[in-house]
Amino acid sequence: MKQLPDEYYQLLEEIQAADFVLVELTLYLDTHPDDMHALQQFNQFVKYSKQLKKVFESKFGPLQQFGNSFTDANWSWGEGPWPWQV
């Protein structure tokens, strides 16, 4: 397998951390739906996660399938390393 740049791993780790926060906030908001601060944090992390994924995908290819990520003209979905390969 080809060597990936450090930025690949950096961005992937940031995406994983942001999505972890979203999972935790989702669980919290399930029991505290009126917590406005948590709702604001959730929306901030949704934007942040989307930004990170957009940057990642522009440099390294799609992260998700089934319509969650756009593709390029070459259908490069299977070209990048799979998550368990890095």
Side-chain angles (χ1 to χ4, degrees):
M1 177 173 33
K2 67 180 179 179
Q3 181 65 29
L4 296 167
D6 289 340
E7 184 183 19
Y8 179 95
Y9 297 102
Q10 246 176 348
L11 281 169
L12 197 58
E13 187 174 332
E14 288 180 50
I15 290 167
Q16 291 169 335
D19 286 353
F20 177 80
V21 170
L22 287 169
V23 168
E24 292 297 309
L25 283 169
T26 297
L27 294 172
Y28 175 80
L29 286 165
D30 283 347
T31 59
H32 300 81
D34 298 323
D35 185 334
M36 293 307 290
H37 182 67
L39 288 168
Q40 289 172 344
Q41 283 183 314
F42 181 85
N43 289 331
Q44 287 175 320
F45 273 92
V46 166
K47 287 179 187 176
Y48 180 56
S49 178
K50 285 183 179 186
Q51 289 170 346
L52 289 171
K53 289 172 183 173
K54 185 176 181 178
V55 169
F56 183 94
E57 289 181 337
S58 72
K59 295 180 180 203
F60 304 110
L63 281 168
Q64 302 175 356
Q65 197 40 282
F66 305 112
N68 293 312
S69 294
F70 289 99
T71 188
D72 59 18
N74 299 319
W75 188 250
S76 60
W77 171 245
E79 292 180 16
W82 296 97
W84 56 86
Q85 293 176 315
V86 294

